[in-house]
Amino acid sequence: MSAGRELASWAARAERTRGRRVAEPPPVHRSEYQRDRDRIVHSTAFRRLMYKTQVFVNHDGDMYRTRLTHSLEVAQVGRTVARALGLDEDLTEAISIAHDLGHTPFGHAGQDALNACMREHGGFEHNLQSLRVVDELEERYAGFNGLNLTFEAREGILKHCSAANARQLGALGERFLARTQPGLEAQLANLADGIAYNNHDVDDGLRSGLISVEQLATVAAFRRNWSATAAAHPGLASRRAVHETVRRMIGELVGDLIEESARRIAAAGVVTIDDVRALHEPLVGFSAERQAEVVELKRFLRQELYQHERVRSMTAMAQRVVSDLFQAWRATPSLLPPDHAEAVTRAAAADGASGEARAVADYLAGMTDRFALAEHARLFGATDWPQSGGAGLPSIPT
Ligand code: MG
């Protein structure tokens, strides 16, 4: 809901939500989507995002993004676009701050390691895990497991899903089988995620010294905005010039996203969210020209930053920490804290080895980077891990 502002007819309507899994009385002073957002803010998983890796391991330095600050940046971009397009800002924000709740410690390296551990038990996928956190794993309410969010928030959190998993998710899985779309707030949060991480990874990458302005000058969007900054502000200190350039890059993408999405919405002639959901292509998107630049920037970051040898050294560490802990707890569940040991026993009784493995994966996925490292040290003794990224690296000159 956006108090005092008209929502577009194709926006999600809190008063017409497809509802919660467990029926609850409507909120008195908030909309249904505000309640979703508030429940996420109060969740344990949300607080833990503060100590989870985005690209640089959380203990590398205080200046880098973590999953928490990343999620807040996604929400900022999302709300701006939502307001401009007449979409529900609170729902957009709820999806934005919940989208990474299921992320393991150590970023994608941690997810890949846990996925390998779970290979024979259905695998592990952080996006599906985010839904599991809000549907099952949070234990904060007397009347239900999880946060009991609205269908629209859950629809937005589940960005992608295999056909096999979709078949087990009921109404939420239907669109993956029918190849249709979620509501516009969900489409938007997905793209806001990309705008946030591409641009903050440029900033963090430069700060770490792992990539340089000279390298980034091969990327059209960076080159254009760096030059424009230099022309408008000759002699600007380079740290500030980087921030100004990144600010301009985000501004360009947000502007393009608003204009192109408005154009597509008008051209499609949709009236309600159900019209949006029936389509086979998303309506929220960049112009072709901007999309090509986004792809170019993503490719640059993958090659030069995410696969930088000092970032990849984290992969080896994450694999060892995650798989050592997983094997240890599978072999001896009594090494877990009592309530998690009980959860593993219950899951084993209900679903056998796969249930047991899933309960261990849930516990591991919920950990912060530093807690996983501390648990590893407790069970396996101190290890001299290599530095993954930023610590001790030169920061960019000012
Ligand atoms: Mg994200």
Side-chain angles (χ1 to χ4, degrees), residues 54 67 70 74 99-100 159 193 197:
Q54 183 67 26
R67 291 242 164 241
H70 160 68
V74 176
H99 82 283
D100 272 349
K159 288 195 279 197
D193 186 22
Y197 68 68

Side-chain angles (χ1 to χ4, degrees), residues 114-390:
L114 193 51
N115 187 34
C117 293
M118 289 292 289
R119 195 174 292 129
E120 281 158 34
H121 305 289
F124 179 90
E125 209 281 304
H126 79 266
N127 187 228
L128 204 56
Q129 189 72 6
S130 295
L131 185 68
R132 201 166 150 70
V133 167
V134 301
D135 277 358
E136 304 286 343
L137 299 179
E138 282 285 325
E139 297 178 326
R140 308 191 70 80
Y141 298 91
F144 43 80
N145 286 339
L147 305 179
N148 199 33
L149 302 183
T150 61
F151 179 90
E152 291 75 24
R154 297 170 62 237
E155 172 187 49
I157 290 169
L158 191 64
K159 288 195 279 197
H160 36 78
C161 183
S162 68
N165 286 326
R167 279 185 212 101
Q168 302 183 12
L169 287 169
L172 204 64
E174 278 167 16
R175 76 176 165 96
F176 298 99
L177 302 172
R179 298 185 184 280
T180 52
Q181 293 294 315
L184 294 172
E185 288 82 358
Q187 296 182 26
L188 166 55
N190 189 14
L191 285 172
D193 186 22
I195 293 177
Y197 68 68
N198 283 328
N199 288 287
H200 65 49
D201 289 352
V202 166
D203 185 43
D204 278 354
L206 286 169
R207 181 177 289 113
S208 71
L210 299 185
I211 55 175
S212 66
V213 166
E214 290 68 32
Q215 284 175 294
L216 268 162
T218 62
V219 176
F222 185 89
R223 187 172 58 242
R224 179 175 60 250
N225 286 291
W226 179 260
S227 303
T229 299
H233 306 280
L236 193 64
S238 70
R239 172 79 57 93
R240 227 158 125 163
V242 167
H243 291 153
E244 177 68 22
T245 301
V246 170
R247 182 185 79 79
R248 287 170 181 243
M249 287 168 68
I250 294 173
E252 275 188 349
L253 288 170
V254 167
D256 182 81
L257 188 63
I258 291 167
E259 285 160 28
E260 175 67 11
S261 303
R263 190 190 67 71
R264 287 195 209 169
I265 290 166
V270 290
V271 177
T272 70
I273 188 172
D274 289 326
D275 297 339
V276 173
R277 284 182 174 136
L279 297 174
H280 292 282
E281 296 296 331
L283 293 177
V284 180
F286 299 112
S287 64
E289 183 194 352
R290 216 51 92 195
Q291 176 63 26
E293 291 189 352
V294 169
V295 170
E296 184 193 24
L297 177 56
K298 271 185 204 223
R299 189 181 303 127
F300 172 89
L301 288 169
R302 191 168 53 242
Q303 284 169 0
E304 306 299 333
L305 183 61
Y306 310 145
Q307 294 184 12
H308 193 287
E309 61 163 313
R310 294 185 72 166
V311 173
R312 275 191 309 166
S313 67
M314 178 175 76
T315 307
M317 172 187 77
Q319 270 162 357
R320 195 160 138 218
V321 170
V322 168
S323 73
D324 283 354
L325 290 176
F326 185 86
Q327 311 305 344
W329 287 323
R330 280 302 307 281
T332 319
S334 61
L335 290 172
L336 288 162
D339 43 334
H340 290 282
E342 267 171 48
V344 170
T345 309
R346 270 199 312 275
D351 292 315
S354 286
E356 185 180 83
R358 182 65 57 192
V360 171
D362 285 340
Y363 182 59
L364 235 169
M367 292 182 168
T368 62
D369 295 3
R370 61 184 186 176
F371 188 72
L373 287 169
E375 282 297 278
H376 193 271
R378 187 173 69 84
L379 295 174
F380 296 91
T383 310
D384 197 13
W385 301 112
Q387 291 294 339
S388 66

